[in-house]
Amino acid sequence: MLSLCICGTAVTSQYLAEEYRVNTPMLQSFINYCLLFLFYTVMLTFQSGSDNLLSILKKKWWKYVLLGLADVEANYLIVRAYQYTTLTSVQLLDCFGIPVLMALSWFILYARYRVIHFVAVAVCLLGVGTMVGADILAGREDSSGSDVLIGDILVLLGASLYAVSNVCEEYVVKKLSRQEFLGMVGLFGTIISGIQLLIVEYKDIAGIRWDWKIALLFVAFALCMFCLYSFMPLVIKVTSATSVNLGILTADLYSLFFGLFLFGYKFSGLYILSFSVIMVGFILYCSTPTRTAEPAESSVPPVTGIGIDNLGLKLEENLQETHSAAL
């Protein structure tokens, strides 16, 4: 389901950019954050105790501002990349976030990996290299070299920010609650994306020639994103952010098939080869479970004595007990 949601966002973004020349990634994300706000943030206002919206804002508002900023910019960079490079390349280059995610999980979530996990990630990156080679051999007549490079860089930056967001998501979902994560992302995501929308895209939005097809594509994108955000915490809670990101690489195959029929991509055997290599890496990763290390304990030794001040009291208690027993 998550892979289909990701594929849906990719296809609708590519279709808006190529068929209707609509390049408004922030508007697309803003609609999704509004949906999260209306559903999950409003839900938090009716919670009681420490789960209430005001209580969360008083204690951790600045942390969620940073989380919302990372999530908003990750979405913006990924969607913007569709304007410069092909849909399948965006999907496959996006797996660059996996090693970043593993590094963050090691230091923040205390995840510990075995050698086979690092080998698996290396295999996935090899598949990414195969995909880039296929794009170069295909020529990409519809894009210049500089545009392709810009698109690839945007994907890599967006993937890194996604890794930050996913690690925070795993921490909040497992330590706190799914509703808190989605509610806070909905709140600050709406504010940040709304401000950025007014700054960078107001001219693009004014130039859109709205019709029912464009509106339908916007609705489809927003629904796919809303479902992705709603269901991913459920999967992360029972697995991990790294395994989820490896699993949703199956969206690449869906995207490839859509690209062949909708956008006239030229088929290359290297596409299937790269996908197969990434799947081999995914299977290697899942073949051995990871473990969680305990946080480093304090180096201060525990107190084993009762102290000089309490020694007299303790002796007095023992004398009273002995006297009582003698009587």
Side-chain angles (χ1 to χ4, degrees):
M1 288 181 63
L2 296 180
S3 295
L4 288 174
C5 290
I6 294 173
C7 180
T9 61
V11 170
T12 51
S13 295
Q14 189 84 349
Y15 211 83
L16 283 169
E18 292 195 359
E19 298 295 327
Y20 298 100
R21 297 294 184 266
V22 175
N23 299 317
T24 55
M26 192 52 62
L27 176 61
Q28 293 168 239
S29 297
F30 177 73
I31 298 174
N32 169 58
Y33 289 121
C34 287
L35 292 177
L36 293 175
F37 174 83
L38 293 174
F39 193 84
Y40 294 104
T41 308
V42 172
M43 185 184 300
L44 288 178
T45 60
F46 295 100
Q47 299 290 334
S48 59
S50 60
D51 294 331
N52 183 264
L53 177 62
L54 294 178
S55 177
I56 295 172
L57 289 176
K58 289 179 180 179
K59 297 178 181 178
K60 297 169 283 188
W61 66 270
W62 64 272
K63 297 180 181 179
Y64 285 114
V65 168
L66 296 178
L67 173 59
L69 182 63
D71 197 76
V72 168
E73 298 309 322
N75 284 326
Y76 177 76
L77 293 175
I78 292 294
V79 179
R80 176 65 72 179
Y82 290 118
Q83 302 168 22
Y84 300 103
T85 187
T86 61
L87 180 149
T88 309
S89 295
V90 171
Q91 294 294 311
L92 290 176
L93 284 173
D94 190 42
C95 75
F96 172 79
I98 294 174
V100 179
L101 183 59
M102 291 180 67
L104 294 174
S105 297
W106 180 284
F107 293 106
I108 298 176
L109 303 177
Y110 302 102
R112 294 297 180 261
Y113 307 100
R114 303 179 187 276
V115 176
I116 191 172
H117 296 120
F118 295 104
V119 173
V121 172
V123 172
C124 289
L125 294 180
L126 178 62
V128 174
T130 306
M131 185 65 230
V132 173
D135 287 330
I136 294 174
L137 293 176
R140 293 201 210 173
E141 292 83 357
D142 58 332
S143 299
S144 62
S146 61
D147 288 341
V148 172
L149 180 61
I150 291 174
D152 291 345
I153 292 175
L154 290 178
V155 176
L156 295 177
L157 291 175
S160 300
L161 290 176
Y162 265 134
V164 174
S165 177
N166 287 158
V167 168
C168 296
E169 179 176 1
E170 180 176 351
Y171 180 85
V172 175
V173 167
K174 291 185 176 181
K175 300 290 185 180
L176 302 172
S177 71
R178 166 178 170 265
Q179 288 78 14
E180 179 173 331
F181 171 80
L182 294 174
M184 291 296 100
V185 169
L187 173 61
F188 292 108
T190 301
I191 296 173
I192 295 172
S193 62
I195 295 173
Q196 190 167 338
L197 174 69
L198 296 175
I199 296 174
V200 301
E201 286 187 358
Y202 68 95
K203 292 183 179 179
D204 295 327
I205 296 174
I208 298 176
R209 298 181 178 179
W210 291 95
D211 59 25
W212 69 271
K213 294 181 180 179
I214 294 179
L216 184 62
L217 288 172
F218 271 96
V219 171
F221 178 92
L223 290 178
C224 288
M225 285 291 285
F226 180 78
C227 292
L228 176 65
Y229 272 71
S230 298
F231 295 138
M232 183 174 283
L234 298 175
V235 186
I236 287 180
K237 188 171 184 178
V238 296
T239 56
S240 70
T242 304
S243 60
V244 168
N245 277 268
L246 285 171
I248 59 180
L249 290 176
T250 51
D252 300 335
L253 186 59
Y254 303 144
S255 301
L256 171 62
F257 288 141
F258 276 106
L260 292 173
F261 291 105
L262 293 178
F263 310 118
Y265 290 168
K266 292 182 180 180
F267 179 80
S268 172
L270 288 178
Y271 288 123
I272 301 299
L273 176 61
S274 63
F275 180 82
S276 301
V277 171
I278 291 177
M279 285 301 99
V280 169
F282 168 64
I283 294 172
L284 284 175
Y285 186 92
C286 295
S287 64
T288 304
T290 60
R291 64 184 182 88
T292 302
E294 293 295 329
E297 296 182 356
S298 175
S299 59
V300 179
V303 178
T304 56
I306 58 177
I308 295 177
D309 294 337
N310 293 329
L311 182 58
L313 294 176
K314 190 66 177 176
L315 290 174
E316 184 178 352
E317 291 176 359
N318 291 337
L319 289 174
Q320 291 178 353
E321 292 176 358
T322 304
H323 181 68
S324 299
L327 290 176

